[in-house]
Amino acid sequence: MYISAKKIADNFFEEYYDLLCHIVNAEAGYLNYSSVEHLYTQEEIEEMKSMERCKVARIMELRVKHPAFKYYTIRDVVYAPGQYSPVTSGSINNPPNEQTCIDMENFLRGRVDTGLPENVVYQALFTQGSGVYEHSPSGHYFCYY
């Protein structure tokens, strides 16, 4: 059973790792936390940035699960018309930075719990949906359906 579960997890990882590295890097690879630099150590800020990148990825997973969306895979979410501007602009094709890749590996391997409720399915630099769950120092809003 362990070997079977590990194979499924490895296949899932391989299928989505590269895509998540690229889209998350384009959406949140270079977060600006200058507004809170005086409140936290550099290490704490880097941890917050890593968590934010993982939350961006988690939103994509939650959209696959949410009954209001007709997405079956993370790929469907990323490439849905009008959903992610990096797809339209082409910036999704830029090489992801090393930290984003590390964050996506940790996320996909289940090492990160973002704490996002299942009805938080929007992430953008503006509000949407029925309300704001969290507003990050970088400017991202994580919003309820």
Side-chain angles (χ1 to χ4, degrees), residues 46-55 112-114:
E46 291 307 316
E47 287 176 19
M48 290 188 294
K49 287 179 179 181
S50 289
M51 180 57 75
E52 186 168 344
R53 285 188 283 269
C54 291
K55 286 178 180 178
V112 178
D113 178 7
T114 64

Side-chain angles (χ1 to χ4, degrees), residues 43 92 129:
E43 184 177 306
I92 189 173

Side-chain angles (χ1 to χ4, degrees), residues 89-138:
S89 73
S91 64
I92 189 173
N93 299 314
N94 295 341
N97 69 47
E98 182 180 358
Q99 189 58 53
T100 299
C101 293
I102 291 168
D103 294 339
M104 291 306 93
E105 177 168 358
N106 287 332
F107 175 76
L108 284 171
R109 297 279 186 208
R111 299 176 192 139
V112 178
D113 178 7
T114 64
L116 289 177
E118 291 197 6
N119 62 340
V120 175
V121 293
Y122 298 114
Q123 162 269 314
L125 295 174
F126 52 88
T127 61
Q128 50 191 322
S130 66
V132 175
Y133 170 75
E134 180 180 301
H135 183 212
S136 73
S138 73

Side-chain angles (χ1 to χ4, degrees), residues 55-69 71 77 83-84 116-124 128-131 133 141-145:
K55 286 178 180 178
V56 169
R58 179 70 175 141
I59 292 292
M60 294 172 208
E61 280 187 344
L62 292 172
R63 283 191 182 188
V64 170
K65 291 179 175 184
H66 199 280
F69 297 96
Y71 305 131
V77 172
Q83 292 304 301
Y84 287 94
L116 289 177
E118 291 197 6
N119 62 340
V120 175
V121 293
Y122 298 114
Q123 162 269 314
Q128 50 191 322
S130 66
Y133 170 75
Y141 289 90
F142 295 89
C143 299
Y144 296 104
Y145 176 77

